Amino acid sequence: MDGTVLVADDDRTIRTVLTQALTRAGCKVHATSSLMTLMRWVEEGKGDLVISDVVMPDGNGLEALPRISKLRPGLPVIVISAQNTIMTAIQAAEAEAYDYLPKPFDLPDLMKRSARALDMKRRAPVSKAAPPREGGDDLPLVGRTQAMQALYRLVARVMNTDLPVLVTGESGTGKSLIARAIHDFSDRRTLPFVVAQAADLQGVEGPASLLSRAKGGSLVFDEVADYDEETQARIVRMLDMMGDNAPRIMSTSQVDLASRLESGAFRQDLYYRLGGVTLHVPSLRERVDDIPLLADHFLARGERDLGTTRRLSNEARDLVRAYSWPGNVRQLENTLRRLMVTSAEAEITRAEVEAVLGNQPAMEPLKGGGEGEKLSSSVARHLRRYFDLHGGALPPPGVYQRILREVEAPLIEIALDATAGNQAKCADLLGINRNTLRKKITDLDIRVTRRRKLM
């Protein structure tokens, strides 16, 4: 590499590491812990590349980007930050930073990006940046893992385009939050944000009325895979008749629409109209290293909302990280809020977490197994694998209640789906008292929403 790099970070270790690495690569380096000093160097014309932290003792690195762009058009800035939220990624993109990396960053990766930025310096200057927006710090879209950072970057790139967006992912991962974030941080943020229901598309005037409500803003089809064939056809016709001031179209689905295409359950013409850009929100199982970060975020939020200060003990934190969280971020948040209310002391113990989670990480989904296998055989195979996971040791005490909990939750959820959410019918179907059903829904943290009847 060839060029002069300006490094601004209040962490002396980071400044030292970057200085040594960049110097070995052939660069000249000026390093500082002061944003004011960095801006003075920029005004003096020093540097071919800036690597800057966000939170500095005397200012905010993101807020300085528009001024850097005005003073030195074409000077690339790589933002590094420990604030691993979607807000940081969006602000960096809006301020036209060359790149953004979360801390802790991978040094070889940063060096490659720096080399590309120095090469880009010789090209045409970038356009003037827009100032970053305020707010949004409370978004629970938090994560430093590669999967989440890639998602954040893609969101930042597509939010001001007119391409339709399809957001996929399991229940509870935050698909609706992604759609809302795209709207709230886009140029359409002052215009309507409308979440469409199947009923909104009924009747001759339904589609036109929906377009009128969402005029110029964003229109979201939530869980679009649940729409019947007639509703899907209405959406196709509606999308074809959109004129001026058409809304941005987004949709969410926890079902693989491609597989629905093969079975004929989803219209191909609708799929291609909705899938301009597909954003996949990873499950917590795919981003295990984000679980402690999310846990701290929800505990901090609970402190603001409930006025109660709680923290996880090291043992409790280990258990929270090990759990597979089948309900994803929503289940994690609900569990931590419950622990904040029920915990006797400021430090939440492992035993208290065990009481909520069943004292053991949730069992992984079954793999393999032939069609037509008896339920008893399937369960026996699953339980054998569960015991085998402990090597030669026995599982922790309480296996019976733990296994019952694992079976009860999906059984009740499926029964609620089958009865369209009617708890009286569901209790009758299960052969239990309605009050017992209500108690189990509460104890098992089953989210009761508008449910469709299974066919």
Side-chain angles (χ1 to χ4, degrees):
M1 288 191 291
D2 182 27
T4 300
V5 182
L6 309 181
V7 176
D9 198 297
D10 61 348
D11 189 317
R12 177 180 296 179
T13 300
I14 290 179
R15 294 199 306 272
T16 300
V17 168
L18 290 180
T19 298
Q20 291 176 348
L22 290 165
T23 300
R24 285 196 299 267
C27 296
K28 295 180 181 178
V29 181
H30 298 286
T32 180
S33 62
S34 167
L35 189 61
M36 185 179 298
T37 300
L38 171 66
M39 295 307 300
R40 176 168 55 81
W41 288 341
V42 171
E43 289 182 32
E44 292 172 353
K46 294 180 179 178
D48 302 299
L49 168 66
V50 174
I51 300 176
S52 176
D53 193 7
V54 174
V55 180
M56 304 281 284
D58 56 348
N60 185 292
L62 284 175
E63 294 174 0
L65 286 178
R67 187 180 172 201
I68 292 175
S69 179
K70 182 178 181 179
L71 291 169
R72 300 274 303 281
L75 178 63
V77 180
I78 296 177
V79 175
I80 54 177
S81 175
Q83 296 181 317
N84 303 302
T85 70
I86 193 171
M87 183 63 185
T88 310
I90 288 175
Q91 286 182 326
E94 286 187 320
E96 297 189 7
Y98 173 79
D99 213 335
Y100 158 72
L101 279 84
K103 292 181 179 178
F105 53 81
D106 179 67
L107 183 58
D109 182 37
L110 177 57
M111 296 297 289
K112 290 178 183 177
R113 295 170 190 259
S114 299
R116 289 196 296 267
L118 287 169
D119 180 64
M120 187 276 297
K121 178 68 169 63
R122 301 178 181 87
R123 304 175 187 175
V126 298
S127 60
K128 183 177 178 180
R133 299 188 187 100
E134 298 178 357
D137 292 336
D138 208 34
L139 283 172
L141 296 168
V142 178
R144 64 165 58 96
T145 55
Q146 183 177 357
M148 288 304 291
Q149 291 299 319
L151 174 62
Y152 294 165
R153 290 192 185 94
L154 189 52
V155 167
R157 286 199 296 270
V158 306
M159 66 183 179
N160 281 322
T161 70
D162 292 327
L163 288 170
V165 174
L166 172 62
V167 188
T168 65
E170 295 179 7
S171 176
T173 52
K175 299 185 297 296
S176 298
L177 290 172
I178 290 290
R180 184 81 214 198
I182 290 173
H183 173 82
D184 286 350
F185 297 107
S186 74
D187 295 337
R188 301 173 186 259
R189 62 189 177 277
T190 59
L191 298 171
F193 178 83
V194 177
V195 179
Q197 307 293 336
D200 296 325
L201 293 156
Q202 302 304 310
V204 177
E205 301 298 328
S209 175
L210 192 60
L211 286 176
S212 177
R213 285 168 51 200
K215 188 174 183 179
S218 299
L219 176 59
V220 181
F221 297 107
D222 190 38
E223 295 301 338
V224 69
D226 291 346
Y227 293 179
D228 59 30
E229 186 175 351
E230 181 181 350
T231 303
Q232 292 177 37
R234 288 177 180 271
I235 296 176
V236 170
R237 292 193 293 270
M238 183 192 78
L239 296 179
D240 287 344
M241 73 179 192
M242 292 197 305
D244 296 336
N245 291 321
R248 169 74 171 275
I249 300 299
M250 292 185 278
S251 51
T252 69
S253 176
Q254 61 180 300
V255 176
D256 180 13
L257 293 184
S259 65
R260 290 292 181 94
L261 286 179
E262 296 176 0
S263 65
F266 199 80
R267 292 177 62 109
Q268 188 176 57
D269 51 358
L270 178 56
Y271 176 75
Y272 290 118
R273 282 168 171 80
L274 298 179
V277 177
T278 299
L279 305 178
H280 177 70
V281 187
S283 66
L284 281 185
R285 297 185 303 281
E286 299 172 271
R287 45 184 291 224
V288 173
D289 289 340
D290 284 336
I291 293 176
L293 193 69
L294 281 161
D296 291 339
H297 176 88
F298 290 134
L299 290 173
R301 172 182 286 183
E303 182 175 349
R304 294 194 302 270
D305 295 346
L306 305 174
T308 304
T309 302
R310 293 289 185 269
R311 63 181 182 276
L312 292 168
S313 69
N314 291 336
E315 295 79 8
R317 182 176 293 270
D318 290 342
L319 183 56
V320 167
R321 189 182 186 279
Y323 190 73
S324 67
W325 299 107
N328 291 297
V329 179
R330 183 187 296 128
Q331 182 189 8
L332 174 62
E333 180 178 17
N334 290 341
T335 298
L336 289 171
R337 288 183 71 87
R338 180 174 174 180
L339 285 165
M340 290 194 73
V341 173
T342 60
S343 178
E345 304 293 338
E347 184 172 84
I348 299 172
T349 66
R350 180 185 177 95
E352 288 171 321
V353 176
E354 289 172 346
V356 175
L357 297 184
N359 197 29
Q360 179 65 25
M363 294 178 288
E364 296 179 3
L366 279 171
K367 297 179 181 179
E371 293 185 2
E373 182 181 27
K374 290 184 178 180
L375 177 62
S376 59
S377 300
S378 177
V379 171
R381 178 162 51 83
H382 199 158
L383 292 176
R384 174 55 59 192
R385 182 174 179 274
Y386 170 63
F387 274 72
D388 290 342
L389 286 173
H390 294 83
L394 291 174
V399 171
Y400 184 79
Q401 290 299 325
R402 196 152 58 243
I403 298 304
L404 284 183
R405 182 185 180 90
E406 290 283 346
V407 173
E408 276 188 314
L411 174 59
I412 292 174
E413 287 180 343
I414 291 171
L416 282 168
D417 275 334
T419 56
N422 187 313
Q423 293 187 20
K425 290 183 179 179
C426 182
D428 184 62
L429 174 66
L430 295 172
I432 60 177
N433 182 275
R434 188 175 181 181
N435 290 332
T436 301
L437 173 63
R438 287 175 175 170
K439 185 175 186 303
K440 288 184 179 296
I441 289 173
T442 300
D443 292 344
L444 296 171
D445 287 330
I446 294 173
R447 189 177 179 87
V448 179
T449 58
R450 181 179 62 85
R451 296 173 181 269
R452 63 184 180 88
K453 188 171 182 179
L454 297 177
M455 301 302 291

